[in-house]
Amino acid sequence: MGLEQFVGEEPTPEFAALVAEEYRNRLDSLEDETLRRIATWKLEGYTNEEIAAHLGCALRTVANKLKLIRLKWEHG
């Protein structure tokens, strides 16, 4: 008997709504538009290199901003 018998392949509408609300809250907690864009691109699966190319900045800048995003999200 596996877990898949109890959990469907699709999230429930309630769970999807909770995830969407948390996503919005996390993005809203980032005051800077660039940080919001970086977080969104990262969550969409872009690599740090791709994000740096989009922004026209150094790879290290993206890494630093991702670190800042993580710190903000971890410490609310």
Side-chain angles (χ1 to χ4, degrees), residues 50-66:
E50 291 170 324
I51 294 169
H54 279 297
L55 294 174
C57 68
L59 185 58
R60 185 74 187 144
T61 300
V62 173
N64 287 337
K65 291 194 181 290
L66 285 169

Side-chain angles (χ1 to χ4, degrees), residues 1-6:
M1 224 195 224
L3 182 61
E4 60 276 353
Q5 291 178 330
F6 300 104

Side-chain angles (χ1 to χ4, degrees), residues 17-52:
L18 285 172
V19 170
E21 182 179 349
E22 182 64 21
Y23 176 73
R24 279 190 305 274
N25 289 340
R26 296 282 177 143
L27 285 182
D28 288 347
S29 74
L30 302 172
E31 304 85 24
D32 183 69
E33 179 60 29
T34 301
L35 292 180
R36 284 192 292 269
R37 289 187 351 204
I38 290 171
T40 299
W41 285 330
K42 195 65 177 175
L43 290 168
E44 289 175 351
Y46 286 84
T47 65
N48 290 8
E49 291 82 4
E50 291 170 324
I51 294 169

